[in-house]
Amino acid sequence: MSRKAFLASACLCIVVAGAAVASRPAAKPVRPPQRIVSLNLCADQLVMALADRGQIAGLTRNAADKEMSAEAAQARGLPMLTNSAEQILAIRPDLVAGVPARRRSVMLGGIKGQGYRTLDLQSADRLADIYVSIRTTALAVGHADRGEAMVARMQKELAGLPRPGRGRVAAYYQRRGYMTGTGTLIDDLMQRMGLVNLAAKLGKPPLAQVSLEEMVAARPDFLIMESATDRVTDQGSEMLHHPALRGIPRISIPQAWTVCGTQAYTLAARSMARQIIQWDSTHR
């Protein structure tokens, strides 16, 4: 996860009080909302996946960014917001999902006291959190059955997934040398693959800048990288193609699959497993 993506993911901690978080909501809302406004990238994707298109009155601009959103294709044709309180007031939403933490004072100052129903989610740093977010969102948008069906599909897809890592060490290495640590969705995926996060071995925080020299000295068995950095596009991605790193096998996955806790988790897990197995089969 890049620094930009890490900050975007952190915004999933929605700061307005709203629908209670529960692992399995008990009942549907009395009346499904018809003008849903989403104010952060992660809520965007859950709303698009679980609500009817006709229910969606506004999403963030990141919703249509294919590098950031796993639902970018679904965002085409849907209204995009500038995150201004005035724009939200004009829409008169009957459900507001997510307020970016860094803009809480501006946003809440404009919509406070309007009586809008709000959706409250927590940051999804592991698979169980994703299931909670899916069920909570599905309940809030009036389609609890869709949430249960989505969770069931994910569980079925992940049930037979192998753990080809066999205790080997991997590092999620990004532009400008940032590495993702433990307690994150990437770390959860590594554990599901049977991989050990290099950040844990080095005692690094959830997001740390690791020099090329330190990475070479650590010599992980795999480097997990954003597919957008498979080729050099800027100075930040250039260091990832340094000759000193070329001997380390790479696992490439789209950043959009891991920025937020959504059903894209299964895509990332399956891709990682497939790439590890493929590498092993060609290097016996």
Side-chain angles (χ1 to χ4, degrees), residues 120-273:
D120 184 15
L121 301 172
Q122 298 299 315
S123 178
D125 298 322
R126 56 197 180 99
L127 181 59
D129 298 334
I130 297 176
Y131 292 157
V132 170
S133 294
I134 290 172
R135 286 173 168 142
T136 303
T137 304
L139 174 64
V141 302
H143 301 292
D145 55 335
R146 295 179 187 175
E148 292 303 323
M150 181 178 291
V151 169
R153 284 195 302 272
M154 291 179 66
Q155 291 174 332
K156 182 178 180 180
E157 290 177 14
L158 294 171
L161 204 63
R163 293 169 55 87
R166 303 198 309 275
R168 285 173 287 183
V169 177
Y172 189 66
Y173 206 36
Q174 308 138 64
R175 291 179 178 89
R176 297 181 176 85
Y178 282 96
M179 181 173 67
T180 301
T182 59
T184 62
L185 205 55
I186 282 292
D187 184 63
D188 186 87
L189 279 162
M190 287 188 193
Q191 292 180 48
R192 186 163 297 276
M193 293 298 101
L195 294 168
V196 175
N197 193 338
L198 176 62
K201 292 177 67 69
L202 299 180
K204 298 292 184 180
L207 188 67
Q209 199 163 22
V210 177
S211 69
L212 183 64
E213 291 78 13
E214 189 175 4
M215 183 61 70
V216 171
R219 200 67 184 181
D221 297 295
F222 295 100
L223 288 177
I224 304 173
M225 296 185 174
E226 302 163 10
S227 55
T229 63
D230 285 347
R231 58 188 181 84
V232 177
T233 56
D234 52 32
Q235 287 186 332
S237 59
E238 184 177 14
M239 68 168 294
L240 302 177
H241 294 268
H242 192 281
L245 298 176
R246 287 178 186 167
I248 305 176
R250 302 190 177 206
I251 301 170
S252 175
I253 55 175
Q255 178 183 214
W257 291 354
T258 60
V259 171
C260 298
T262 71
Q263 70 273 26
Y265 179 100
T266 59
L267 297 176
R270 289 161 61 188
S271 179
M272 288 172 67

